[in-house]
Amino acid sequence: MQEFRSVPSVPTAVLAQRVLDVWITNDNAGLETELQHVIHRTLPAAPGRDLSEIESERQELIHAIAKSMDRERKALTGGAGEPRFGVWADLLRHLSTGDTVSSADELN
């Protein structure tokens, strides 16, 4: 039986920027890894997640985006040229900036 471990919270802005950074490289394996990382880090039921209301909502949004991107990426042969990927890119750009950007400095 696998033991559940608490996952430290990573600011949404950092997660979104990481997905965007790997996306532009066209590295499918890297994108899959990063999407799984986001999905795991933003699980709604993860214990010890003490987030502000806005950061909690931002993490719910990036979780949904990552799950949708991963599902579509696996199903499509057309790749990142599909219309939904443009919308997701815009949402990720939006999430990569904003109130939580100053929190990104705390990780360094």
Side-chain angles (χ1 to χ4, degrees):
M1 183 173 192
Q2 210 173 20
E3 180 182 321
F4 181 79
R5 295 183 197 144
S6 176
V7 177
S9 180
V10 175
T12 304
V14 173
L15 296 173
Q17 190 59 55
R18 287 179 184 169
V19 172
L20 288 169
D21 288 347
V22 76
W23 188 353
I24 62 171
T25 67
N26 291 322
D27 176 7
N28 196 38
L31 181 59
E32 180 178 6
T33 299
E34 199 58 45
L35 292 173
Q36 291 304 314
H37 177 79
V38 169
I39 291 167
H40 179 72
R41 290 234 175 227
T42 58
L43 288 171
R49 286 185 53 199
D50 188 22
L51 305 171
S52 68
E53 185 176 338
I54 188 70
E55 182 62 12
S56 179
E57 290 174 5
R58 291 167 61 89
Q59 290 217 350
E60 285 178 32
L61 178 58
I62 197 170
H63 182 85
I65 292 167
K67 284 181 73 169
S68 296
M69 283 180 73
D70 192 48
R71 185 173 46 252
E72 286 293 316
R73 185 189 54 76
K74 290 175 183 173
L76 293 175
T77 57
E82 295 296 323
R84 289 183 188 161
F85 281 90
V87 172
W88 291 325
D90 288 343
L91 287 169
L92 288 169
R93 279 188 211 103
H94 173 73
L95 289 171
S96 70
T97 61
D99 296 341
T100 60
V101 169
S102 60
S103 300
D105 294 335
E106 296 173 10
L107 290 178
N108 296 327

